[in-house]
Amino acid sequence: MKHIYQKGADSTRPTLLLLHGTGGNEHDLIPLAEMIDRNASYLSVRGNVLEYGMPRFFKRLAEGVFDIEDLIARTKELNEFLDDAAKEYEFDRNNIVAIGYSNGANIAGSLLFHYENALKAAILHHPMVPRRGIALPNLSGKNVFITAGTNDPICPSEESEELKALLEKANATVEIHWENHGHQLTRSEVEAAASWYQKLV
Ligand code: MLT
Protein backbone atom coordinates (compact mmCIF):
# COMPACT_ATOMS: atom_id res chain seq x y z
CA MET A 1 0.00 0.00 0.00
CA LYS A 2 1.22 3.52 -0.72
CA HIS A 3 2.47 5.01 2.52
CA ILE A 4 4.87 7.26 4.40
CA TYR A 5 6.90 5.90 7.31
CA GLN A 6 8.69 8.33 9.60
CA LYS A 7 10.87 6.96 12.36
CA GLY A 8 10.37 8.80 15.66
CA ALA A 9 12.92 9.89 18.23
CA ASP A 10 11.65 7.39 20.84
CA SER A 11 11.36 3.79 19.67
CA THR A 12 9.61 2.74 22.92
CA ARG A 13 6.59 4.82 21.88
CA PRO A 14 3.78 3.22 19.87
CA THR A 15 3.82 3.48 16.09
CA LEU A 16 0.96 5.74 15.04
CA LEU A 17 -1.02 4.36 12.10
CA LEU A 18 -2.61 7.26 10.22
CA LEU A 19 -5.73 6.57 8.15
CA HIS A 20 -7.27 9.42 6.16
CA GLY A 21 -10.89 10.16 5.25
CA THR A 22 -12.52 9.77 1.81
CA GLY A 23 -10.73 11.88 -0.79
CA GLY A 24 -7.69 12.31 1.41
CA ASN A 25 -4.23 10.83 1.23
CA GLU A 26 -1.26 9.77 3.33
CA HIS A 27 -0.21 13.38 3.93
CA ASP A 28 -3.45 14.53 5.59
CA LEU A 29 -3.10 13.28 9.16
CA ILE A 30 0.61 13.89 9.68
CA PRO A 31 -0.16 17.07 11.70
CA LEU A 32 -2.29 14.89 14.04
CA ALA A 33 0.65 12.56 14.69
CA GLU A 34 2.70 15.61 15.62
CA MET A 35 -0.04 16.85 18.01
CA ILE A 36 -0.59 13.46 19.61
CA ASP A 37 2.99 12.23 20.02
CA ARG A 38 5.82 14.12 18.35
CA ASN A 39 8.36 11.49 19.46
CA ALA A 40 6.52 8.49 18.03
CA SER A 41 7.14 6.87 14.66
CA TYR A 42 4.24 7.06 12.25
CA LEU A 43 3.03 4.99 9.34
CA SER A 44 0.58 6.89 7.18
CA VAL A 45 -1.25 4.82 4.58
CA ARG A 46 -3.23 5.69 1.47
CA GLY A 47 -6.46 3.73 0.88
CA ASN A 48 -6.28 1.40 -2.13
CA VAL A 49 -9.81 2.04 -3.40
CA LEU A 50 -10.71 4.94 -5.69
CA GLU A 51 -14.24 6.37 -5.70
CA TYR A 52 -14.47 8.80 -8.64
CA GLY A 53 -10.78 9.53 -8.14
CA MET A 54 -11.04 9.86 -4.34
CA PRO A 55 -8.93 7.46 -2.27
CA ARG A 56 -10.77 5.33 0.32
CA PHE A 57 -9.96 2.23 2.35
CA PHE A 58 -12.89 0.10 1.08
CA LYS A 59 -15.77 0.34 -1.38
CA ARG A 60 -19.24 1.53 -0.49
CA LEU A 61 -22.53 1.01 -2.29
CA ALA A 62 -23.95 4.39 -1.19
CA GLU A 63 -23.25 6.99 1.50
CA GLY A 64 -23.01 5.00 4.74
CA VAL A 65 -23.75 1.65 3.02
CA PHE A 66 -20.59 -0.42 2.97
CA ASP A 67 -19.61 -3.14 0.51
CA ILE A 68 -19.05 -5.74 3.23
CA GLU A 69 -17.17 -8.21 1.04
CA ASP A 70 -14.73 -5.50 0.02
CA LEU A 71 -14.50 -4.21 3.61
CA ILE A 72 -13.48 -7.70 4.79
CA ALA A 73 -10.89 -8.10 2.00
CA ARG A 74 -9.44 -4.60 2.49
CA THR A 75 -9.26 -5.05 6.25
CA LYS A 76 -7.25 -8.24 5.71
CA GLU A 77 -5.02 -6.46 3.20
CA LEU A 78 -4.32 -3.64 5.67
CA ASN A 79 -3.67 -6.07 8.54
CA GLU A 80 -1.17 -7.98 6.38
CA PHE A 81 0.41 -4.71 5.26
CA LEU A 82 0.97 -3.88 8.97
CA ASP A 83 2.69 -7.27 9.47
CA ASP A 84 5.01 -6.56 6.51
CA ALA A 85 5.67 -2.92 7.46
CA ALA A 86 6.61 -3.91 11.04
CA LYS A 87 9.24 -6.28 9.62
CA GLU A 88 10.52 -3.84 7.01
CA TYR A 89 10.78 -0.83 9.35
CA GLU A 90 11.55 -2.88 12.48
CA PHE A 91 8.83 -1.51 14.74
CA ASP A 92 6.86 -3.45 17.34
CA ARG A 93 3.84 -5.02 15.59
CA ASN A 94 2.07 -5.26 18.94
CA ASN A 95 2.38 -1.57 19.71
CA ILE A 96 0.39 0.18 16.99
CA VAL A 97 -2.09 2.95 17.82
CA ALA A 98 -4.39 3.82 14.93
CA ILE A 99 -5.54 7.38 14.34
CA GLY A 100 -8.32 7.45 11.76
CA TYR A 101 -10.77 10.00 10.49
CA SER A 102 -14.13 9.10 8.92
CA ASN A 103 -13.47 6.37 6.32
CA GLY A 104 -10.04 5.85 7.94
CA ALA A 105 -11.70 5.49 11.37
CA ASN A 106 -14.07 2.95 9.82
CA ILE A 107 -11.28 0.71 8.54
CA ALA A 108 -9.52 1.05 11.92
CA GLY A 109 -12.81 -0.01 13.57
CA SER A 110 -12.96 -2.90 11.13
CA LEU A 111 -9.43 -4.01 12.13
CA LEU A 112 -10.68 -4.16 15.75
CA PHE A 113 -13.86 -6.00 14.72
CA HIS A 114 -11.97 -8.68 12.76
CA TYR A 115 -8.55 -9.16 14.38
CA GLU A 116 -7.69 -9.62 18.03
CA ASN A 117 -4.17 -8.24 17.77
CA ALA A 118 -4.22 -5.80 14.86
CA LEU A 119 -4.04 -2.69 17.06
CA LYS A 120 -3.05 -1.88 20.62
CA ALA A 121 -5.34 1.13 20.76
CA ALA A 122 -7.26 3.40 18.44
CA ILE A 123 -8.33 7.00 18.17
CA LEU A 124 -11.42 7.01 15.96
CA HIS A 125 -12.56 10.43 14.74
CA HIS A 126 -16.19 10.25 13.54
CA PRO A 127 -16.40 6.48 13.03
CA MET A 128 -19.45 4.41 12.12
CA VAL A 129 -20.28 0.81 13.06
CA PRO A 130 -18.26 -1.09 10.43
CA ARG A 131 -20.29 -4.33 10.57
CA ARG A 132 -23.26 -5.71 12.45
CA GLY A 133 -24.23 -9.23 13.45
CA ILE A 134 -20.75 -10.69 13.91
CA ALA A 135 -18.91 -11.91 16.99
CA LEU A 136 -15.98 -9.63 17.78
CA PRO A 137 -12.62 -10.99 18.95
CA ASN A 138 -11.67 -10.57 22.59
CA LEU A 139 -10.47 -6.97 22.82
CA SER A 140 -9.49 -6.98 26.49
CA GLY A 141 -6.56 -4.65 27.08
CA LYS A 142 -7.44 -2.57 24.00
CA ASN A 143 -8.27 1.11 24.48
CA VAL A 144 -10.41 3.12 22.10
CA PHE A 145 -11.10 6.85 22.03
CA ILE A 146 -14.06 7.88 19.86
CA THR A 147 -14.74 11.46 18.90
CA ALA A 148 -18.18 12.25 17.56
CA GLY A 149 -20.31 15.22 16.55
CA THR A 150 -23.75 15.76 18.05
CA ASN A 151 -24.90 17.04 14.61
CA ASP A 152 -22.97 14.65 12.41
CA PRO A 153 -25.18 13.89 9.37
CA ILE A 154 -22.99 10.93 8.35
CA CYS A 155 -22.80 9.32 11.77
CA PRO A 156 -25.82 9.87 14.06
CA SER A 157 -25.03 10.00 17.78
CA GLU A 158 -26.84 6.67 18.42
CA GLU A 159 -24.38 5.00 16.06
CA SER A 160 -21.41 6.32 18.05
CA GLU A 161 -23.02 4.92 21.23
CA GLU A 162 -23.71 1.62 19.44
CA LEU A 163 -20.06 1.36 18.40
CA LYS A 164 -18.94 2.04 21.98
CA ALA A 165 -21.31 -0.64 23.30
CA LEU A 166 -20.16 -3.24 20.74
CA LEU A 167 -16.49 -2.64 21.55
CA GLU A 168 -17.18 -2.73 25.30
CA LYS A 169 -19.08 -5.99 24.90
CA ALA A 170 -15.82 -7.37 23.42
CA ASN A 171 -14.00 -6.14 26.59
CA ALA A 172 -12.33 -3.03 25.12
CA THR A 173 -12.10 0.12 27.24
CA VAL A 174 -13.85 2.91 25.35
CA GLU A 175 -14.31 6.62 25.87
CA ILE A 176 -16.41 8.99 23.74
CA HIS A 177 -15.66 12.69 23.36
CA TRP A 178 -18.53 14.80 21.97
CA GLU A 179 -18.24 17.96 19.91
CA ASN A 180 -21.22 20.20 19.16
CA HIS A 181 -20.39 20.04 15.47
CA GLY A 182 -20.97 17.87 12.43
CA HIS A 183 -18.64 15.46 10.65
CA GLN A 184 -15.66 17.81 10.47
CA LEU A 185 -12.48 17.13 12.41
CA THR A 186 -11.88 19.91 14.94
CA ARG A 187 -8.72 20.97 16.69
CA SER A 188 -10.36 20.54 20.10
CA GLU A 189 -11.19 16.89 19.48
CA VAL A 190 -7.60 16.20 18.43
CA GLU A 191 -6.45 17.93 21.64
CA ALA A 192 -8.85 15.73 23.63
CA ALA A 193 -7.40 12.68 21.86
CA ALA A 194 -3.88 13.87 22.73
CA SER A 195 -4.79 14.15 26.46
CA TRP A 196 -6.34 10.66 26.38
CA TYR A 197 -3.23 9.26 24.65
CA GLN A 198 -0.85 10.88 27.16
CA LYS A 199 -2.62 9.00 29.98
CA LEU A 200 -2.40 5.77 28.00
CA VAL A 201 1.33 5.62 27.22
C1 MLT B 1 -17.53 5.81 4.86
O1 MLT B 1 -17.92 5.58 3.73
O2 MLT B 1 -16.55 5.24 5.37
C2 MLT B 1 -18.29 6.82 5.63
O3 MLT B 1 -19.46 7.15 4.97
C3 MLT B 1 -17.48 8.01 5.92
C4 MLT B 1 -17.05 8.69 4.66
O4 MLT B 1 -17.77 9.55 4.17
O5 MLT B 1 -16.00 8.36 4.16
Side-chain angles (χ1 to χ4, degrees), residues 32 58 82 102 118 134 136 140 148 162 184:
L32 270 61
F58 56 88
L82 296 177
S102 190
I134 59 162
L136 270 60
S140 70
E162 183 188 353
Q184 74 267 36

Side-chain angles (χ1 to χ4, degrees), residues 21-22 56 58 60 62-64 66 102-104 106 128 154 183:
T22 300
R56 287 176 53 85
F58 56 88
R60 61 181 163 183
E63 175 68 63
F66 301 157
S102 190
N103 183 247
N106 292 339
M128 297 168 68
I154 293 173
H183 196 64

Side-chain angles (χ1 to χ4, degrees), residues 14-18 33 36-37 40-44 96-99 197:
T15 296
L16 305 177
L17 170 66
L18 308 178
I36 286 170
D37 189 345
S41 304
Y42 64 76
L43 176 65
S44 191
I96 298 177
V97 176
I99 303 174
Y197 173 92

Side-chain angles (χ1 to χ4, degrees), residues 6-44:
Q6 176 66 52
K7 195 169 167 44
D10 184 350
S11 62
T12 67
R13 292 280 173 164
T15 296
L16 305 177
L17 170 66
L18 308 178
L19 302 164
H20 62 79
T22 300
N25 62 42
E26 66 279 17
H27 298 281
D28 287 10
L29 299 192
I30 292 172
L32 270 61
E34 281 156 8
M35 281 173 74
I36 286 170
D37 189 345
R38 60 172 58 251
N39 292 316
S41 304
Y42 64 76
L43 176 65
S44 191

